[in-house]
Amino acid sequence: MTEFCFESINWSPFFGHTRSSLFSLSEAAARAGFSWISFDEQLLNAAAAQSQPQSSVRAAVESAGLRTLAVHSLAITGDAERDAATAAPLISAACELGALYLHCGVTTAVDDLVRASTRRVARLARDSGVSIAIEFLPFLPVDSISTARAIVEACEDDQAGLVVDAWHFFHGPDGWTELESLRPEEIAYVQFDDHGPLKSSDLMAETTNRRVFPGQGEFDLERFSQTIGRVGWNGVVGLEHLSEDSRNRDPLEVAIELMKHSKPFWDGHENAPR
């Protein structure tokens, strides 16, 4: 049976949201039937500012019957010293929370410096028992499966992997042939989401504010989920619902709707963490 991760960033101070805590979000995820949760740096910083150590966050997550999938997010720039310094507290947080992954993106053109910096971060993460997960996004230099694959290969770590986000796949340069080319061991986890017709050319604004519940948009999510299953992957599916409208709603209500709309696409898939 597929296990789902509640991607809590929609209710993060990153988007100006200050009413939800790590603890309330964990409770909402558990009550909605999720097995996993992820946290971003801004939520973790907000908890620390309220004298809530990561050990207490982990205890709350585990008492809710959840595990932490990933800590978001490191922007890899190719400046090795800067990237390592930025990664250090995120890796520490991932380790403290028992997270499997440090979620990363690449914000500059890929060259030898970027590859070397990524490799260094991957080694720092592995020394703490954490792997890095590289996401491709259509508005960044690493915008496709092939470019993300090359970055993962540069890590020289067989536990590193790709984040395959439906939003970025459908708005990026790849087609079904590229998705079908994935090997199961390449994928860290999948992020599942939907979107209606674009209202602007600002992809960042669109992806962070206007997603809809799976099945309510225009993505061919049935083919997407079936293709992921056919390549032999079995891992955690993150439900990343970034929606300005939903930010003003109770996270529990949204979490319940996410599960209701997402599960039918994955029913019948065998699933277990890598």
Side-chain angles (χ1 to χ4, degrees), residues 18-171:
T18 58
R19 299 188 300 278
S20 298
S21 70
L22 298 173
F23 304 97
S24 64
L25 291 167
S26 297
E27 180 181 3
R31 290 179 62 188
F34 287 85
S35 301
W36 299 78
I37 193 166
S38 70
F39 300 115
D40 75 295
E41 183 178 16
Q42 297 278 0
L43 269 169
L44 293 170
N45 288 344
Q50 296 171 6
S51 300
Q52 297 167 346
Q54 286 158 9
S55 58
S56 67
V57 175
R58 180 170 183 170
V61 168
E62 292 179 348
S63 67
L66 303 172
R67 292 182 64 188
T68 303
L69 180 64
V71 168
H72 298 247
S73 179
L74 174 67
I76 297 173
T77 67
D79 181 331
E81 295 304 319
R82 175 183 174 185
D83 290 347
T86 305
L90 296 173
I91 292 170
S92 176
C95 183
E96 286 284 339
L97 294 170
L100 300 185
Y101 295 103
L102 169 62
H103 185 109
C104 304
V106 178
T107 59
T108 191
V110 176
D111 57 15
D112 288 344
L113 292 176
V114 168
R115 285 185 283 269
S117 184
T118 304
R119 186 159 49 249
R120 180 176 179 183
V121 169
R123 288 173 179 168
L124 291 171
R126 286 305 303 153
D127 287 345
S128 295
V130 178
S131 300
I132 70 170
I134 301 291
E135 183 173 24
F136 56 92
L137 302 93
F139 40 79
L140 290 180
V142 174
D143 62 354
S144 65
I145 289 168
S146 62
T147 53
R149 178 183 281 140
I151 291 292
V152 170
E153 290 172 352
C155 294
E156 298 179 354
D157 176 7
D158 61 7
Q159 295 301 305
L162 305 175
V163 178
V164 183
D165 186 319
W167 202 99
H168 304 313
F169 168 72
F170 283 106
H171 287 289

